[in-house]
Amino acid sequence: MFCEVLALEEVASELRGKTEFVSLDIETTGLSPKSARIIEIGAVRFNGSGRISQKLSKIVFPGSGYVHWGAHIHGITEAEVRRAPPIAGVLSELIAFIGNRVVVAHNLSFENRFLTEEFMAAGLSPAPFRGICTYRAAARLVKDAPNHKLATLAAYFGVKQETAHRALADAETCAQVAVKLVRSAEEPQGKSPQPGPGTKPAPQPSPGTKLASQAGPGTKPVPKHRHKSKYPQPKGLDGGPSWSPSREQLAIYDAFHSEGDIKVLAGAGTGKTSTLQYLAQSTTAPITYLAYNQAIARDAQGKFGQHVAASTIHSLAFQTLKAQAQSPLLDRLNLGFEPPRLIAQRLGTTDRKLIQGLGGADLSAACGPQELARMAMETVAYFCQSDSTQILRKHATKSLERMPVSLRKDAGQLVLLFAQEYWDQAIDPRNRHVPITHDHYLKLWLLSRPKIGSPGGMLFVDEAQDLSPAVTGFLKRQTHLKKVFVGDSNQAIYGFAGGADALPSIKTRHELPLTTSWRFGPEIAEIANKWLTTLGAKHFLQGNPGRISTLKSASHPAALLTRTNEGALYELLEMQKRGNQVALQMDTAHVLGFIKSAEHLKAGQSATHQFLRNFSTWTEVREFTLRGRSDLTTWVSLVEGHGTRFLAEAIAKTVPVSPGIPVISTAHKAKGLDWESVQISQDFEGSVEMAMKRGGDKAAADERRLAYVAVTRAQSSLGAGSLESP
């Protein structure tokens, strides 16, 4: 062991006069010595007056197996490390530099773990040094600081701090803080020194709230005088102070109160909602808050002030059209899916003479009526997702890939003709029998070039990585509003549903990160950062040091996350075999209704479920799902694989989502949620490799993003399974 950890009080008498101590800090490539390495060592000799007599500062090369992570925190480049001296020689220098002196470090257990591993790897075995941890000492002696991070304590004691997150600078700061802590320990009853004149103690959080200033490595809190002189204190729902903003959040606050739009790159669990609340509290201007789904919108409406109107983009479109002449077409949302047989009859693709006259005999022979109808429907779907004002050949490109190359030109003209007819029928409010989708009425509204809010107002856009090009274009045109886009490109997991990461295409004056995750501790952050590295992320997560997270499999996790619905069903059956009560993160009544209608179709009866009511046979449903992806695809696959009776019995045995009941969810449905403990299902194993073989780099990146979302749902315990390492 590198160091024996003592209480500060045990050696306080030595740190009062001229006896020298050694303050030590290291910079590493990660948080676990099992996978990360030391790349910089900084140390200073100092005495009880705070005078520094000698310094040691070395970037080191850790040797084989070294992977360069963490440059976003410490700024040390890989080139600097590659040309640095080997760590073994510097460790020998460090042993001589310490001599028989007591070692001081902030969070000494961190340095202890890493240096112990490195000493063993280098074949060095010095007798354990004596050491004190200023973090532990501050936790006992300083009761009125917002947290006990080194930068917070430096500001609290009035210690001048140079560049943080470089080893020597942090070692120097730690030395001065140690001297102040010794003096604090000498005060009656161990009371903390009072803040200087003109400063107020940091407000205490309301019960159950998270301190945003409890940031992990890499986030510096703001000195108290800055809160007093410039920044208001965030307020809770009761109007009282709730938390202390981090430096990242204050940078966003500054940008918000300057000219230009803002893009906030918010990692998993980094407090994007509390940040937006903080911004909203600082203005009386009307704010439109666009949320990804209704649940988030409802939650936001309850947390923000009266001047904030929270909604989804579909709700804005629906409410506007409801008050206009197009209102009757909205009643057609519940007409369900329409099989290609009916679409073909409605569009006229069943007229073979017409098809031969427009496209020729070869095209007529190669493309049947239902195939033409399907291609027209798909073309309209791509048009609705685009920012185009008219249906173009590019919207038919994917459908035309199924045609022989020699026929694509003629087929394209024909498909565009029928796609336009399909669209015209869908948006005709007099047409009472043509089903429409949510994308249809949204596109109709967007084509009117609407403006939302009012001049001088503001627009908050949440989950910007999941916007369609149609919505992105609409938002860019709201030039009369100050806009704040919040999102995380690494959580863009809805590409199959038309989502396209809008963040890279959105140009703003300010681009700022949120990297400290309050949701989980450093251990889970390290797993997440491995996946972020594979995605080439610009920013990495820092775990909340105030939360202890463990990496272990749990027999009774709060949530079990699967990659697919098939995986969810498998896990459900396994847990039910063991006699466990289980909840599913889905609308089980809706699914049971679907299964019952599927059973009716299989028996030659009519279906009542809105998804199936337009189909006459189960075979027709199966054929409908053979091409493309729809809301039907997953459940048709499950019905085919397991049978209606078996599925119905398993789902009927589930219980509602409630505290204490384990939840099974796909990673897609878990987006935006978190649980105390999470277990990753075995169906993730090999998913990236399979995706690479199936669809190349793009498909593999989709799987990596899904893995990143999955491993960041846990708060305290994560059984990462095959996702522990990319």
Side-chain angles (χ1 to χ4, degrees):
M1 184 173 65
F2 165 68
C3 212
E4 175 190 3
V5 184
L6 308 172
L8 177 138
E9 291 83 353
E10 294 181 58
V11 294
S13 60
E14 299 177 46
L15 191 53
R16 290 196 183 109
K18 296 182 179 180
T19 303
E20 283 193 330
F21 280 49
V22 170
S23 178
L24 170 69
D25 189 76
I26 59 176
E27 297 298 333
T28 68
T29 62
L31 300 173
S32 170
K34 299 299 182 184
S35 57
R37 302 296 299 273
I38 294 174
I39 57 173
E40 186 179 39
I41 296 173
V44 297
R45 292 179 184 170
F46 71 103
N47 61 20
S49 66
R51 186 181 70 84
I52 293 175
S53 61
Q54 197 167 345
K55 302 178 182 181
L56 171 67
S57 178
K58 293 286 182 70
I59 294 176
V60 298
F61 178 60
S64 60
Y66 155 71
V67 177
H68 196 76
W69 287 352
H72 62 291
I73 297 175
H74 44 62
I76 302 170
T77 67
E78 184 168 9
E80 289 178 291
V81 175
R82 292 288 180 185
R83 59 174 178 259
I87 189 171
V90 178
L91 290 174
S92 297
E93 286 186 57
L94 178 64
I95 293 171
F97 187 85
I98 297 173
N100 62 356
R101 299 168 182 85
V102 173
V103 173
V104 176
H106 202 68
N107 194 5
L108 179 58
S109 62
F110 182 81
E111 279 77 6
N112 216 354
R113 293 198 307 272
F114 270 91
L115 286 167
T116 298
E117 289 284 339
E118 295 289 7
F119 277 145
M120 291 175 60
L124 300 171
S125 54
F129 297 101
R130 294 186 301 156
I132 58 174
C133 176
T134 49
Y135 183 92
R136 290 188 182 182
R140 294 193 307 274
L141 301 169
V142 182
K143 302 298 185 183
D144 53 352
N147 60 66
H148 300 106
K149 287 171 49 199
L150 183 61
T152 304
L153 295 172
Y156 181 87
F157 286 122
V159 172
K160 182 179 178 182
Q161 187 178 23
E162 303 298 335
T163 304
H165 305 297
R166 288 303 297 266
L168 183 62
D170 284 352
E172 291 174 336
T173 301
C174 183
Q176 303 304 320
V177 167
V179 172
K180 299 289 187 181
L181 285 171
V182 167
R183 294 173 186 171
S184 177
E186 294 173 346
E187 293 193 0
Q189 300 176 358
K191 291 181 179 178
S192 302
Q194 296 302 307
T199 61
K200 295 180 181 179
Q204 295 302 304
S206 302
T209 59
K210 300 175 184 177
L211 284 175
S213 57
Q214 290 178 331
T219 304
K220 304 178 196 174
V222 178
K224 294 182 180 182
H225 69 273
R226 290 187 68 188
H227 283 283
K228 183 174 187 297
S229 63
K230 183 176 180 181
Y231 300 99
Q233 184 70 28
K235 296 177 182 178
L237 295 177
D238 60 358
S242 58
W243 47 273
S244 298
S246 68
R247 186 171 294 276
E248 287 179 329
Q249 288 168 319
L250 292 183
I252 295 168
Y253 179 99
D254 286 338
F256 183 68
H257 289 281
S258 61
E259 294 295 322
D261 295 339
I262 306 166
K263 182 162 43 173
V264 178
L265 307 179
T270 55
K272 61 177 181 176
T273 301
S274 59
T275 302
L276 291 177
Q277 283 180 268
Y278 186 39
L279 301 184
Q281 290 172 6
S282 69
T283 181
T284 57
I287 298 173
T288 300
Y289 182 118
L290 286 186
Y292 184 73
N293 57 42
Q294 286 287 5
I296 296 173
R298 285 193 298 269
D299 185 59
Q301 196 63 68
K303 291 179 178 178
F304 287 76
Q306 297 288 331
H307 63 306
V308 179
S311 174
T312 66
I313 188 70
H314 284 87
S315 291
L316 287 181
F318 188 94
Q319 296 304 324
T320 303
L321 295 177
K322 193 71 174 173
Q324 297 177 352
Q326 293 95 337
S327 177
L329 68 84
L330 298 174
D331 296 332
R332 293 189 263 129
L333 278 169
N334 62 358
L335 293 182
F337 291 98
E338 192 176 24
R341 169 181 54 83
L342 296 181
I343 299 175
Q345 294 172 4
R346 180 159 58 81
L347 296 182
T349 62
T350 53
D351 187 341
R352 302 311 296 171
K353 290 183 179 179
L354 173 66
I355 305 304
Q356 288 180 11
L358 293 174
D362 289 343
L363 180 59
S364 177
C367 189
Q370 292 191 32
E371 181 64 14
L372 267 177
R374 190 192 304 273
M375 293 167 71
M377 180 177 63
E378 291 174 351
T379 299
V380 170
Y382 282 110
F383 163 65
C384 288
Q385 293 290 339
S386 76
D387 194 33
S388 300
T389 57
Q390 56 185 324
I391 300 174
L392 303 172
R393 185 182 175 86
K394 65 180 181 180
H395 302 131
T397 300
K398 198 162 187 67
S399 295
L400 291 171
E401 289 176 356
R402 300 197 291 267
M403 298 293 298
V405 175
S406 60
L407 298 177
R408 286 181 187 177
K409 182 178 179 180
D410 290 338
Q413 294 175 345
L414 199 57
V415 168
L416 289 183
L417 178 68
F418 287 119
Q420 188 64 55
E421 178 64 21
Y422 181 97
W423 174 244
D424 289 342
Q425 291 184 17
I427 64 174
D428 186 347
R430 298 167 299 178
N431 193 332
R432 302 283 177 166
H433 305 292
V434 176
I436 68 165
T437 69
H438 291 280
D439 283 349
H440 287 159
Y441 74 76
L442 175 61
K443 183 66 175 182
L444 180 62
W445 180 66
L446 293 176
L447 286 172
S448 70
R449 288 295 194 262
K451 288 198 176 292
I452 58 176
S454 56
M458 299 182 177
L459 178 63
F460 289 176
V461 182
D462 199 0
E463 303 287 359
Q465 77 278 355
D466 291 321
L467 302 176
S468 70
V471 175
T472 303
F474 157 74
L475 295 175
K476 289 178 178 179
R477 290 189 287 273
Q478 307 305 303
T479 54
H480 59 294
L481 300 175
K482 182 182 182 69
K483 296 183 281 291
V484 180
F485 296 92
V486 184
D488 181 3
S489 294
N490 304 298
Q491 295 188 66
I493 60 174
Y494 292 108
F496 65 87
D501 182 14
L503 286 170
S505 70
I506 295 172
K507 306 303 179 186
T508 58
R509 178 171 294 188
H510 310 280
E511 181 177 307
L512 298 158
L514 280 175
T515 60
T516 300
S517 184
W518 318 118
R519 180 180 296 160
F520 42 73
E523 298 79 8
I524 293 177
E526 184 175 1
I527 299 293
N529 286 337
K530 291 180 181 180
W531 287 102
L532 289 175
T533 299
T534 67
L535 289 165
K538 294 172 65 175
H539 303 283
F540 292 82
L541 291 176
Q542 301 159 53
N544 181 353
R547 180 182 286 278
I548 297 175
S549 295
T550 58
L551 301 175
K552 62 179 182 181
S553 296
S555 56
H556 301 286
L560 198 159
L561 302 187
T562 68
R563 178 178 166 271
T564 64
N565 281 288
E566 284 276 10
L569 179 62
Y570 171 82
E571 297 290 359
L572 172 64
L573 296 174
E574 288 299 304
M575 293 185 77
Q576 288 178 343
K577 286 178 185 177
R578 297 194 292 269
N580 296 331
Q581 283 191 316
V582 189
L584 286 177
Q585 193 69 39
M586 65 176 62
D587 184 347
T588 54
H590 176 81
V591 174
L592 287 171
F594 177 90
I595 294 171
K596 188 174 182 64
S597 281
E599 199 169 54
H600 287 165
L601 284 177
K602 281 173 169 281
Q605 302 168 0
S606 60
T608 57
H609 192 277
Q610 70 177 78
F611 282 1
L612 300 178
R613 64 174 59 144
N614 293 320
F615 294 89
S616 57
T617 66
W618 181 249
T619 300
E620 195 172 49
V621 176
R622 279 194 336 220
E623 291 174 351
F624 179 79
T625 60
L626 287 177
R627 299 185 188 274
R629 179 173 182 139
S630 76
D631 293 339
L632 288 176
T633 306
T634 294
W635 292 104
V636 169
S637 174
L638 290 175
V639 167
E640 287 292 286
H642 300 280
T644 54
R645 184 175 179 179
F646 181 80
L647 279 177
E649 289 179 354
I651 294 174
K653 290 178 184 177
T654 62
V655 298
V657 175
S658 57
I661 300 296
V663 175
I664 295 176
S665 173
T666 63
H668 283 98
K669 288 188 175 69
K671 177 80 185 307
L673 303 175
D674 56 70
W675 294 269
E676 185 70 17
S677 58
V678 168
Q679 180 66 43
I680 302 299
S681 172
Q682 62 186 358
D683 74 337
F684 274 96
E685 188 167 357
S687 59
V688 175
E689 292 80 1
M690 290 174 60
M692 181 67 77
K693 292 179 182 177
R694 184 182 68 249
D697 291 337
K698 184 179 183 301
D702 289 341
E703 292 294 338
R704 293 184 182 111
R705 284 191 290 270
L706 191 63
Y708 167 66
V709 168
V711 301
T712 54
R713 299 306 99 194
Q715 299 171 357
S716 298
S717 176
L718 172 66
S722 63
L723 299 186
E724 187 166 350
S725 182

